[in-house]
């Protein structure tokens, strides 16, 4: 089952494989290095209510987490208008791997409605 997610991410990361991002859906994201990986921070905006079902990078699938009061892995993150991802918010997305400050990482977000959003995130401090 894991290979399907990796294959999807690899296909979507190929130049020319992905179409333009859908209207009404945008994301302004960056990565902050942490122990053993990086925390995806920023805002995802959607014109209608949806759910974030999965996040992939070239290094693999990310963990979606709900943190209230303790962090636990969840299957989806609700988006009603917009959702803020950070170390201080109720939801976090964590990528495993080695990241260097200044590195640009292609991130693929999949929503419940079948929409796929491709975003370039820069690793910052």
């Amino acid at each position: 089952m894991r290979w399907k997610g990796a294959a999807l991410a690899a296909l979507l990361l190929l130049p020319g494989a992905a179409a333009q991002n859908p209207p009404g859906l945008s994301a302004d994201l960056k990565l902050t290095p942490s122990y053993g990986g990086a925390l995806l921070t920023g805002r995802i905006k959607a014109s209608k209510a949806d759910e974030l079902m999965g996040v992939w990078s070239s290094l693999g699938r990310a963990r979606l987490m709900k943190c209230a009061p303790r962090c636990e892995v969840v299957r989806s993150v609700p988006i009603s208008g917009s959702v803020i991802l950070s170390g201080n918010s109720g939801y976090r997305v964590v990528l495993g791997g080695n990241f260097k400050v200044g590195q640009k990482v292609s991130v693929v977000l999949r929503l419940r409605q079948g929409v796929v959003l491709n975003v370039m995130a820069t690793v910052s401090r």
Side-chain angles (χ1 to χ4, degrees):
M1 199 64 154
R2 280 191 153 184
W3 67 271
K4 288 182 181 179
L8 172 67
L11 177 65
L12 294 173
L13 295 175
L14 290 173
Q20 244 183 337
N21 288 329
L25 183 63
S26 66
D28 182 23
L29 303 171
K30 66 180 180 178
L31 289 163
T32 305
S34 64
Y35 180 75
L39 177 68
L40 193 63
T41 60
R43 179 185 304 258
I44 301 170
K45 295 179 185 176
S47 59
K48 59 184 178 183
D50 209 335
E51 288 182 84
L52 182 61
M53 300 301 294
V55 176
W56 290 265
S57 75
S58 58
L59 298 173
R61 186 177 178 147
R63 301 258 187 221
L64 305 177
M65 303 174 79
K66 180 178 182 178
C67 299
R70 291 186 175 170
C71 292
E72 60 184 56
V73 176
V74 294
R75 291 181 176 257
S76 65
V77 173
I79 303 173
S80 50
S82 71
V83 65
I84 295 175
L85 303 171
S86 74
N88 298 324
S89 69
Y91 292 98
R92 298 179 190 175
V93 175
V94 181
L95 291 160
N98 295 319
F99 297 91
K100 296 180 181 175
V101 174
Q103 178 182 0
K104 294 192 183 291
V105 178
S106 182
V107 179
V108 178
L109 310 169
R110 185 176 66 85
L111 284 80
R112 180 172 295 283
Q113 303 297 329
V115 176
V116 174
L117 179 64
N118 295 301
V119 180
M120 189 63 69
T122 304
V123 179
S124 63
R125 278 231 179 251

